[in-house]
Amino acid sequence: PKCPARNYQRDGPQCFGDNQAGAPNYFPNSFSGPVDNLKWAQSRFQTLAEDVKRYNSADEDNFTQVGIFYRDVLNAEEKDRLCRNIAGHLKNAAQFIQERAINNFAQADAEYGANIAKYIKEFQKY
């Protein structure tokens, strides 16, 4: 018997079957995907090199570099195109996902998040 897949892998363009019924292929997500089994959280073998061990990246700064890029690298037209593009992809997402994304962009730069929010509202009028 076949075992149902419980992962985030998807077949390519010539897949057959339901390809996990369009479930998200990223983790974490907000749609009740598979969860980590802590029994298998860490491997049981010892490594000799430190660079192959797992480390917790939860406290990394994911916003400073993005903010610098937005403020100091992009000109006004590029900022506008970027915000419109992101908003265009978020306009049909669930409200809580839009809010989460806007919050993430605003942590990089307040104007960045505000412009994306503005364009989402603008695009939803149509």
Side-chain angles (χ1 to χ4, degrees):
K2 292 184 178 180
C3 178
R6 300 277 188 251
N7 60 41
Y8 292 100
Q9 297 176 358
R10 300 293 179 271
D11 294 328
Q14 296 181 350
C15 66
F16 58 92
D18 72 352
N19 207 23
Q20 298 191 42
N25 63 344
Y26 52 89
F27 176 83
N29 68 64
S30 303
F31 300 101
S32 303
V35 295
D36 289 337
N37 183 339
L38 297 180
K39 176 181 175 183
W40 306 107
Q42 295 294 323
S43 63
R44 305 269 185 234
F45 66 91
Q46 295 292 321
T47 61
L48 298 176
E50 290 293 318
D51 60 345
V52 297
K53 291 187 178 180
R54 294 180 186 262
Y55 64 97
N56 184 351
S57 62
D59 63 346
E60 290 183 355
D61 176 8
N62 296 307
F63 304 105
T64 300
Q65 186 176 17
V66 177
I68 292 169
F69 174 75
Y70 183 81
R71 283 186 303 276
D72 301 340
V73 175
L74 300 178
N75 64 36
E77 291 175 353
E78 292 166 334
K79 289 177 185 179
D80 189 63
R81 284 195 306 267
L82 178 61
C83 292
R84 284 179 176 275
N85 190 323
I86 292 169
H89 289 282
L90 284 171
K91 68 183 177 185
N92 294 323
Q95 181 71 31
F96 75 96
I97 292 176
Q98 291 176 354
E99 291 168 1
R100 185 185 304 157
I102 290 166
N103 181 53
N104 283 339
F105 288 111
Q107 287 183 68
D109 185 272
E111 176 188 291
Y112 196 9
N115 283 338
I116 292 170
K118 174 183 78 172
Y119 287 128
I120 289 173
K121 288 179 185 174
E122 180 180 309
F123 292 157
Q124 287 176 335
K125 292 178 185 176
Y126 305 107

